[in-house]
Amino acid sequence: VEAGKPIRCKAAVARKPGEPLVIEEIIVAPPSHHEVRVRIICTSLCQSDVTFWKLKDLPAIFPRILGHEAIGVVESVGEDVDEVVEGDVVIPVFLPDCGDCADCKSKKSNLCSKLPFQLSPWMPRDKTSRFTDLKGEVLYHFLNVSSFSEYTVVDTAHIVKIDPSIPPSKACLLSCGVSTGVGAAWRTANVEAGSTVVIFGLGSIGLAVAEGARISGATKIIGVDVNQEKFEIAKKFGVTDFVNVGECGDKPVSQVINEMTGGGADYCFECVGLVSLMEQAYACSRKGWGKTVILGVEKSDSLISLRCADVVGNGKTLTGALFGGLKAKSDIPTLLKRYMDKELELDKFVTHEVDFEDINKAFDLLLEGKSLRCVIWM
Ligand code: CXF
Ligand code: ZN
């Protein structure tokens, strides 16, 4: 391995939608301006990897290197990079934080306007790829990270330098899913002590919202799901009450929650990605101050319906967030410190660990609903 030269290494390539990833040798170009080449230490699987791996809709974006929840070491840096040097430990993040634009400078936003987030298969600045296979075919990037490779190239707006003493299998969780849930409670909603919180969907994101609500001092955390088995797991994440949507009879779930909470919850979080649940969440947030946060990813042109009479004069807020409203460069180090100080619990999210060669097992476990986070070691 030599700075400035292409690297030959192993990657797990998504060649066709829904088919097992293929471990093969690829070529990773050196980093260009404002880019760093990173040796991945470990990566974990997020539901979004599975979503884009399955996607058959045209234009199909294959062959592609998926993976976006990771931690690694800077192998080399491109021109105009002064933020990190070779050997620094970094967490890549799908959402940019350029530090220069009006949004990055404001503490009210985490949506960079210099390199606006888009679902692009290229590097964010010059819209080209750093990956080719041994036949010379271009391999597409994913979410600005592409961590299912021993080496990847990431823009400096998408990396956060961290304290290297943090266990990598825990630190990598803050790269996407766990940060998104914890951040939604902590930053987007700003849950305060004594609050009542409702979480729709008890997958990793919902459980991370519970963890964020727990460390914020919420006293009642109501978990909503269709799968009774989720409730046992959720207890370990501080969820205090459960509503099984399948057991609400004729009542809409919002009515059940309104009755349980005496008029609605302080904070509601939608973590599934279903319009009907977004509407239900809004319907059981408390009049006057209730706040509903949408984290679930629905089809992008789906519409949410609200009756005007139910909106005017109710004082409720409905909002959404990417990455839990976190500003990657400043908030990830804060969350890592809270983990090291034993306030934030991360260990309970790691249910499985596999070697890189067995990456397809991580997909199976998530598809079967058996894992929360499966860490993949390079
Ligand atoms: C998601 C956020 C919503 C768009 C797709 C990617 N991020 C990470 O999993
Ligand atoms: Zn993700």
Side-chain angles (χ1 to χ4, degrees), residues 13-239:
V13 181
R15 290 235 159 235
K16 295 205 177 108
E19 290 187 12
L21 305 187
V22 183
I23 307 253
E24 54 185 275
E25 299 250 295
I26 64 156
I27 308 291
V28 183
S32 187
H33 293 257
H34 300 286
E35 295 174 3
V36 300
R37 192 160 56 185
V38 177
R39 178 176 61 79
I40 300 294
I41 299 169
C42 63
T43 178
S44 41
L45 187 61
C46 170
Q47 189 63 48
S48 304
D49 297 307
V50 174
T51 304
F52 285 87
W53 166 72
K54 277 193 196 163
L55 211 67
K56 282 204 175 72
D57 305 4
L58 291 170
I61 304 170
F62 295 93
R64 193 172 206 183
I65 300 181
L66 299 170
H68 63 284
E69 210 173 80
I71 180 171
V73 181
V74 174
E75 172 269 337
S76 61
V77 304
E79 280 173 51
D80 309 316
V81 174
D82 43 24
E83 197 175 318
V84 289
V85 296
E86 185 193 325
D88 281 346
V89 176
V90 293
I91 288 182
V93 179
F94 74 95
L95 198 65
D97 185 353
C98 81
D100 287 334
C101 71
D103 286 79
C104 290
K105 280 184 179 153
S106 163
K107 55 177 201 260
K108 292 188 279 190
S109 169
N110 73 338
L111 303 173
C112 178
S113 39
K114 187 161 154 192
L115 297 170
F117 171 68
Q118 37 185 337
L119 290 167
S120 158
W122 307 115
M123 291 298 290
R125 277 177 225 252
D126 71 0
K127 316 287 180 202
T128 60
S129 172
R130 300 289 165 271
F131 302 121
T132 43
D133 68 11
L134 295 189
K135 290 182 187 146
E137 187 184 6
V138 165
L139 305 171
Y140 292 113
H141 288 253
F142 179 58
L143 287 180
N144 305 298
V145 176
S146 288
S147 55
F148 295 164
S149 174
E150 289 176 321
Y151 289 86
T152 188
V153 177
V154 182
D155 194 281
T156 50
H158 293 270
I159 51 161
V160 182
K161 183 179 164 172
I162 61 149
D163 173 350
S165 68
I166 293 154
S169 63
K170 308 307 174 323
C172 77
L173 305 181
L174 293 177
S175 182
C176 183
V178 173
S179 286
T180 295
V182 171
W186 173 45
R187 284 291 192 221
T188 309
N190 197 11
V191 169
E192 63 276 82
S195 303
T196 295
V197 168
V198 183
I199 302 167
F200 291 81
L202 297 174
S204 293
I205 304 297
L207 295 173
V209 170
E211 180 61 13
R214 187 190 68 80
I215 65 172
S216 303
T219 38
K220 203 176 179 76
I221 305 178
I222 304 171
V224 180
D225 208 291
V226 288
N227 179 352
Q228 196 74 26
E229 285 173 31
K230 299 274 174 80
F231 299 156
E232 255 347 279
I233 305 165
K235 280 184 192 161
K236 301 194 184 87
F237 291 80
V239 177

